[in-house]
Amino acid sequence: MRKSQVELQATIETPDGTFLARYSERGLCGLAFPPLPHRKTVSSALPEPAREWHRITSEALGRALRGEEPKRLPPLDLSAGTEFQQQVWQALRKIRCGNTCSYGEVAGRIGRAKAIRAVGGACGANPIPVLVPCHRVLAANKRLGGFSGGLDWKRKLLSREQSWTEEG
DNA sequence: TCCAATATTATGC
DNA sequence: GCATAATATTGGA
């Protein structure tokens, strides 16, 4: 697996806190949940291509946090992951808003029906949560599995999409 | 190359 | 519910 080199980073302010987006030459390559480190980069300091991506990312993130499908997405640079992981992430992007998927189903979609455990690992390695809807992946009995940025986020996001309730 | 870890799942108690 | 075995993939020694 190749090492991803981060070119730029900029913050995105949302009602839920300030996110940190990272951009490579190809596009958005990372997204971090709040809380953030003290230092932050201003979006106006970005070069032209990244600045455009950042604008799109901000809007897309804002919509995603509201439980709506982003109207437009910036180019995503997923080259940081292995081929298997990229397949998983592509499968995740196909999950519509308001829908959920089990780890086993995601595994089946990419032709690795038995790679359930590995799918979980790939989701955990997802560098762009929310925009790549890793939070819409649940365990077999529709229970919450885990989440990189904290299980609380997964619960909150699904709740806003009305895809999941505590009751089940 | 081998070993341990994992955001799972199925089974048995 | 909880413990255990089986499974695929990854990363480090």
Side-chain angles (χ1 to χ4, degrees):
Chain A
M1 146 177 174
R2 285 182 189 283
K3 196 174 181 181
S4 65
Q5 42 188 7
V6 179
E7 300 260 332
L8 308 158
Q9 58 183 18
T11 56
I12 301 177
E13 294 184 10
T14 74
D16 293 294
T18 305
F19 286 70
L20 181 66
R22 296 180 296 151
Y23 299 94
S24 69
E25 291 182 353
R26 300 183 181 179
L28 180 66
C29 65
L31 187 64
F33 286 99
L36 288 170
H38 187 268
R39 176 178 300 183
K40 55 182 180 181
T41 304
V42 187
S43 62
S44 60
L46 297 173
E48 290 190 22
R51 195 167 147 192
E52 173 73 9
W53 299 338
H54 190 62
R55 196 181 62 180
I56 301 174
T57 302
S58 299
E59 185 178 345
L61 180 62
R63 297 206 179 211
L65 291 177
R66 289 180 54 187
E68 300 175 7
E69 184 111 26
K71 202 169 187 177
R72 206 148 75 92
L73 246 57
L76 303 181
D77 183 13
L78 300 176
S79 60
T82 66
E83 290 194 32
F84 173 80
Q85 290 172 335
Q86 292 184 34
Q87 285 181 32
V88 173
W89 299 335
Q90 281 184 38
L92 295 185
R93 292 201 303 171
K94 294 194 313 180
I95 306 178
R96 297 279 239 161
C97 181
N99 253 31
T100 59
C101 215
S102 70
Y103 290 96
E105 191 171 343
V106 173
R109 283 192 186 182
I110 62 176
R112 302 278 190 279
K114 295 176 183 174
I116 311 161
R117 212 93 165 19
V119 168
C123 290
N126 174 23
I128 315 177
V130 184
L131 262 47
V132 176
C134 51
H135 59 277
R136 301 203 184 116
V137 186
L138 306 177
N141 28 334
K142 310 303 181 196
R143 288 194 187 280
L144 293 176
F147 197 64
S148 264
L151 200 55
D152 192 33
W153 276 107
K154 187 171 187 174
R155 213 181 310 184
K156 185 181 297 182
L157 289 168
L158 289 175
S159 179
R160 289 178 184 176
E161 294 180 4
Q162 296 181 338
S163 304
W164 178 83
T165 57
E166 298 182 31
E167 311 273 327

